[in-house]
């Protein structure tokens, strides 16, 4: 039977008596501790640290080897006791370089109305790649050196200003239920926490010790995710409005104090002959009349909103304009050549397009919302406009009006200026008529204990991800504004929603941590989302000097290092202290004074 031996090597060190190397999750480098025999020359500074298990006495033809390149010496100490002089060398894996990197960027932020700012949108994978590149990792030049398939299609909010790239990566991964893993093959992987391989078979490999424990955290009955405001695409009729300086109010144009005695039919914008007190009011007329329009919603003009529902069922038509304010500034629909970009709003309907015939674009009863844009762009107003989201008012660059005599097949026709029939295609939130709370997509899942629901009688734990938006787009009956069906993105967002909920439940549920210590150095090992720590020990173990491998699943071996949760707590504390020192000169001065005093 072949005879094996386990040993360690490191450049500049000739006599390693024993070594312990622990690899675990996170951005903090693992520490390898080497026990050395006294040496006449010592030049160790850095390089590749190796753990080797080989049948050297029988020729070395059968070898298991794990290598950690780019290690750095952390500490070198000496100690003398009755047993003689002992040297100890501590080295760290290549993650020591990660602490040197910085990253800046602002992504997935929202405007004051809560709407995602499109040019700042970036998926989680790209954000994580930015962090890795900030840490000095060659993601673009060596994509095979990184495993990023577990990253969900999420849009986490980040606001970085010269942040430590490694800390930023750890925070993003925590929020997404992921772990940063420097694998034993030297590749960087982003793994879903708690998911991965089982421990190696205790039948195949002899064990020294086996431990299993359960440490259940506090748990709610359910976890509920609350998304951003639901976005409903609508075609809202518009009504012409103007500003009245007499009482400083915005009114319907027929209620303005400067309306001509014979009505608006005799004016021909931009000329407003016939208005009352033109010297005082002409500027307001030119700026507002037939340029400014407001959402037409009320008891007599209810708005049917596709997808609007309450806990009791389908929501009633909207009769109060405040129920949809502030409106969004985009549609739900996206551009064909850029699916990530929502379309700009449009206004369509019956109006005079400026032709010599005097005819309107279409008769009011012939307006077909399903034939707008690509099918019939002639009924879309070709004038830029701004949107006042808080008031529900749009304002055109040009005057937009109709010919009240222009709904005929004859030409030319008499021209009498009048109010057009316009609809604004845009998206809106909807507020509950009782609570006035914004309608949002929610989903919950039960937390299970031993396969059964955790009926502790608690309220759900709520997690908020306002970057996720449910959308609804109406599908009209041909030739009418009757909604016959609704298109929604619910199926598309559910995968992302489930990922966040499952990650939270995984953090709340007992992980059944287990650690097994195996005789010898085991082959083919790798860290993943569940295999959280691997420790190799070489030196004198019994009479065969064959080494020991200790592997933990959803556990940390505190004999060798502090736990992952404790490391993250210390990392956050360190980052917070650094930020406080940067932001507070008085804290910096006090810190320097304490250091001078040796406290």
């Amino acid at each position: 039977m072949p005879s094996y031996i386990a040993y360690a090597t490191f450049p500049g060190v000739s006599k390693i008596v024993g070594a312990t190397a622990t690899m675990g999750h996170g951005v903090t480098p693992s520490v390898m501790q080497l026990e050395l025999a006294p040496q006449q020359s010592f030049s160790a500074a850095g390089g590749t640290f190796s753990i080797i298990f080989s049948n050297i006495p029988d020729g070395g033809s059968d070898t298991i080897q794990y290598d950690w390149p780019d290690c750095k010496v952390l500490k070198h100490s000496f100690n003398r006791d009755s047993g003689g002089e002992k040297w100890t060398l501590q080295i760290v894996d290549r993650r020591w370089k990660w602490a040197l990197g910085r990253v800046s960027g602002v992504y997935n932020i929202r405007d004051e109305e809560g709407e995602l700012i499109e040019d700042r949108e970036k998926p989680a994978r790209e954000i994580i790649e930015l962090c890795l590149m900030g840490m000095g990792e060659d993601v673009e030049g060596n994509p095979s050196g990184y495993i990023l398939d577990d990253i969900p299609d999420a849009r986490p909010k980040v606001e970085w200003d010269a942040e430590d790239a490694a800390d930023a990566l750890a925070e993003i991964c925590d929020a997404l239920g992921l772990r940063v893993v420097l694998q034993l093959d030297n590749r960087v992987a982003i793994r879903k926490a708690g998911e991965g391989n089982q421990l190696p078979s205790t039948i195949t490999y002899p064990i020294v010790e086996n431990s299993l424990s359960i440490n259940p955290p506090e748990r709610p009955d359910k976890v509920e995710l609350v998304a951003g405001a639901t976005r409903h695409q609508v075609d809202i009729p518009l009504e012409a409005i103007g500003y009245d300086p007499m009482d400083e109010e915005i009114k319907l144009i027929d209620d303005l104090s400067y309306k001509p005695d014979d009505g608006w039919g005799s004016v021909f914008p931009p000329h407003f002959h016939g208005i009352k007190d033109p010297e005082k009011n002409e500027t307001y007329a030119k700026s507002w009349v037939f340029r400014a329009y407001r959402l037409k919603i009320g008891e007599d003009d209810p708005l049917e909103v596709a997808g609007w529902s309450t806990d009791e069922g389908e929501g009633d038509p909207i009769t109060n304009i405040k129920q949809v304010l502030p409106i969004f500034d985009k549609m739900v629909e996206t551009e064909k050549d850029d699916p990530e970009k929502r379309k700009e709003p449009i206004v369509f309907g019956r109006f005079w397009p400026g032709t010599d015939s005097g005819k309107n674009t279409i008769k009011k009863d012939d307006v077909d919302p399903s034939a707008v844009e690509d099918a019939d762009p002639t009924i879309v107003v070709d004038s830029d406009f701004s949107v006042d989201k808080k008031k529900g008012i749009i304002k055109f660059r040009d005057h937009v009006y109709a010919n009240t005599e222009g709904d005929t097949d004859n030409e030319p026709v008499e021209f009498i200026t009048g109010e057009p029939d316009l609809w604004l295609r845009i998206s809106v939130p909807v507020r509950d008529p009782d609570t006035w709370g914004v309608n949002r997509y929610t989903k919950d899942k039960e937390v299970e204990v031993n396969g059964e629901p955790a009926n502790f009688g608690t309220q759900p734990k709520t997690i908020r991800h306002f970057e996720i938006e449910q959308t609804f787009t109406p599908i009209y009956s041909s030739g009418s504004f009757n909604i016959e069906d609704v298109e929604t993105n619910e199926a598309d967002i559910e995968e992302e929603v489930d990922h966040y909920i499952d990650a939270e439940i995984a953090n709340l549920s007992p992980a059944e941590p287990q650690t097994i210590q195996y005789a010898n150095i085991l082959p083919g090992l790798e860290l993943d989302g569940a295999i959280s720590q691997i420790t190799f020990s070489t030196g004198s173990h019994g009479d065969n000097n064959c080494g020991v491998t200790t592997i933990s699943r959803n556990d940390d071996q505190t004999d060798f290092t502090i736990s992952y949760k404790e490391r993250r707590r210390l990392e956050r504390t360190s980052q917070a202290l650094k930020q406080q020192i940067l932001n507070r000169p008085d804290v910096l001065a006090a810190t320097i004074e304490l250091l001078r005093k040796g406290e």
Side-chain angles (χ1 to χ4, degrees):
M1 182 176 180
S3 177
Y4 288 84
I5 187 171
Y7 60 99
T9 64
F10 187 66
V13 179
S14 59
K15 298 177 182 180
I16 300 177
V17 177
T20 299
T22 299
M23 296 296 293
H25 292 169
V27 297
T28 300
S30 293
V31 179
M32 294 81 159
Q33 184 153 309
L34 284 60
E35 295 178 16
L36 313 179
Q39 301 172 34
Q40 290 185 346
S41 60
F42 179 82
S43 60
T48 298
F49 171 71
S50 299
I51 292 285
I52 302 169
F53 183 60
S54 177
N55 60 336
I56 288 179
D58 297 305
S61 60
D62 188 9
T63 298
I64 298 168
Q65 182 166 334
Y66 294 96
D67 296 320
W68 291 268
D70 299 323
C71 290
K72 168 183 171 292
V73 171
L74 178 66
K75 183 179 180 182
H76 183 203
S77 61
F78 305 85
N79 182 43
R80 180 182 293 276
D81 58 21
S82 58
E85 186 176 290
K86 296 179 181 179
W87 290 16
T88 301
L89 181 68
Q90 291 182 338
I91 60 175
V92 289
D93 65 52
R94 71 180 184 87
R95 283 175 286 185
W96 67 270
K97 294 190 281 186
W98 290 0
L100 305 177
R102 299 287 181 269
V103 64
S104 295
V106 178
Y107 303 107
N108 301 321
I109 57 172
R110 297 177 176 274
D111 60 23
E112 59 184 14
E113 276 78 39
E115 189 170 355
L116 192 67
I117 299 174
E118 289 187 3
D119 64 355
R120 303 318 308 152
E121 184 176 3
K122 191 177 285 292
R125 178 166 179 148
E126 293 183 19
I127 291 175
I128 286 175
E129 287 176 346
L130 286 176
C131 292
L132 289 169
M133 288 187 285
M135 292 152 53
E137 295 292 322
D138 189 14
V139 179
E140 294 180 339
N142 181 31
S144 62
Y146 305 88
I147 303 173
L148 309 176
D149 297 336
D150 284 355
I151 301 172
D153 185 23
R155 302 291 187 276
K157 174 185 174 182
V158 297
E159 295 181 86
W160 297 324
D161 183 11
E163 299 287 341
D164 289 343
D167 290 335
L169 175 63
E171 290 294 333
I172 288 291
C173 288
D174 283 350
L176 297 174
L178 304 171
R179 291 288 179 86
V180 183
V181 181
L182 177 60
Q183 297 190 158
L184 300 187
D185 63 5
N186 201 40
R187 292 190 295 172
V188 177
I190 306 297
R191 296 296 193 184
K192 191 171 182 180
E195 293 190 2
N197 294 318
Q198 298 295 320
L199 293 171
S201 169
T202 56
I203 298 175
T204 305
Y205 302 103
I207 69 170
V208 177
E209 185 178 338
N210 187 353
S211 64
L212 176 66
S213 62
I214 297 177
N215 182 22
E218 296 179 2
R219 297 187 299 279
D221 289 354
K222 294 180 179 180
V223 170
E224 178 185 54
L225 182 140
V226 178
T230 299
R231 185 186 288 261
H232 304 264
Q233 184 164 302
V234 289
D235 292 324
I236 309 179
L238 300 174
E239 55 189 6
I241 57 172
Y243 177 77
D244 199 327
M246 185 176 70
D247 53 10
E248 299 182 340
E249 294 287 339
I250 295 174
K251 305 175 181 177
L252 297 177
I253 59 173
D254 284 340
D255 296 332
L256 293 171
S257 63
Y258 51 86
K259 173 187 172 183
D261 289 333
D262 56 354
W264 297 104
S266 61
V267 305
F268 195 70
H271 307 291
F272 284 85
H273 302 301
I275 64 171
K276 297 173 184 177
D277 196 356
E279 185 175 341
K280 176 181 178 182
N281 294 316
E282 187 175 21
T283 299
Y284 296 111
K286 287 183 176 182
S287 177
W288 283 83
V289 177
F290 297 127
R291 288 184 61 197
Y293 291 83
R294 181 174 59 199
L295 308 184
K296 189 177 181 180
I297 299 174
E299 292 290 344
D300 296 331
D301 301 286
L303 175 68
E304 185 178 0
V305 178
W308 156 231
S309 63
T310 66
D311 293 339
E312 285 72 39
E314 185 175 339
D316 294 327
I318 307 301
T319 57
N320 186 338
I321 187 175
K322 293 180 180 179
Q323 211 173 330
V324 298
L325 297 180
I327 62 177
F328 297 114
D329 62 358
K330 300 286 191 300
M331 297 188 203
V332 165
E333 297 175 63
T334 57
E335 301 287 354
K336 290 182 179 179
D337 57 349
D338 188 358
E340 296 292 326
K341 184 178 181 181
R342 298 197 187 279
K343 289 182 178 179
E344 296 294 328
I346 60 169
V347 175
F348 65 94
R350 167 189 165 272
F351 59 93
W352 177 57
T355 57
D356 293 337
S357 69
K359 295 173 64 175
N360 294 320
T361 53
I362 196 170
K363 295 177 182 179
K364 178 180 179 180
D365 293 340
D366 292 339
V367 175
D368 183 357
S370 60
V372 180
E373 292 192 276
D374 295 338
D376 189 3
T378 60
I379 67 171
V380 176
V381 177
D382 184 20
S383 176
D384 294 337
F385 59 89
S386 60
V387 178
D388 186 330
K389 296 183 287 185
K390 292 182 178 180
K391 296 179 180 178
I393 293 175
I394 71 165
K395 208 166 186 181
F396 290 101
R397 179 192 60 200
D398 308 303
H399 294 92
V400 180
Y401 48 94
N403 178 7
T404 60
E405 303 297 315
D407 297 338
T408 176
D409 294 331
N410 301 320
E411 55 180 271
V413 297
E414 182 183 3
F415 203 102
I416 300 177
T417 300
E419 186 169 347
D421 295 291
L422 301 176
W423 286 265
L424 171 67
R425 178 165 291 179
I426 204 163
S427 59
V428 299
V430 179
R431 296 181 180 275
D432 186 279
D434 297 324
T435 67
W436 225 237
V438 175
N439 185 39
R440 300 176 186 274
Y441 171 89
T442 63
K443 183 176 183 179
D444 61 51
K445 283 188 179 181
E446 290 184 335
V447 177
E448 294 186 349
V449 178
N450 299 325
E452 297 294 331
N455 292 321
F456 298 118
T458 71
Q459 293 294 317
K461 178 176 182 180
T462 301
I463 55 176
R464 296 167 179 81
H465 283 277
F466 290 169
E467 75 278 7
I468 300 174
E469 294 177 331
Q470 186 176 27
T471 62
F472 292 99
T473 305
I475 299 174
Y476 297 107
S477 300
S478 180
S480 77
F481 283 87
N482 295 325
I483 299 173
E484 67 174 14
D485 203 355
V486 178
E487 185 177 291
T488 179
N489 69 338
E490 184 170 347
D492 297 329
I493 66 174
E494 275 197 332
E495 182 180 354
E496 183 178 359
V497 169
D498 287 341
H499 180 94
Y500 282 118
I501 294 177
D502 292 342
E504 186 63 31
I505 290 176
N507 289 333
L508 293 169
S509 301
E512 296 186 2
Q514 185 174 16
T515 296
I516 300 180
Q517 193 174 81
Y518 300 85
N520 306 332
I521 303 298
L522 271 56
L525 299 180
E526 194 54 88
L527 294 162
D528 55 32
I531 302 298
S532 51
Q533 201 173 87
I534 299 175
T535 297
F536 299 106
S537 299
T538 70
S540 180
H541 299 280
D543 297 327
N544 57 6
N545 197 26
C546 60
V548 171
T549 304
T550 308
I551 309 174
S552 296
R553 189 176 195 277
N554 296 320
D555 195 9
D556 290 295
Q557 311 150 35
T558 54
D559 289 345
F560 301 108
T561 184
I562 60 175
S563 70
Y564 175 79
K565 288 185 178 180
E566 183 68 12
R567 287 199 304 276
R568 288 295 299 125
R569 186 187 70 79
L570 291 174
E571 288 166 359
R572 291 191 187 97
T573 302
S574 174
Q575 179 63 14
L577 180 59
K578 282 188 285 186
Q579 196 62 46
Q580 188 180 28
I581 289 173
L582 288 173
N583 295 336
R584 294 276 305 278
D586 56 326
V587 174
L588 176 59
T591 303
I592 293 173
E593 185 63 25
L594 287 173
L595 291 173
R596 285 173 176 166
K597 293 179 179 179
E599 296 183 12

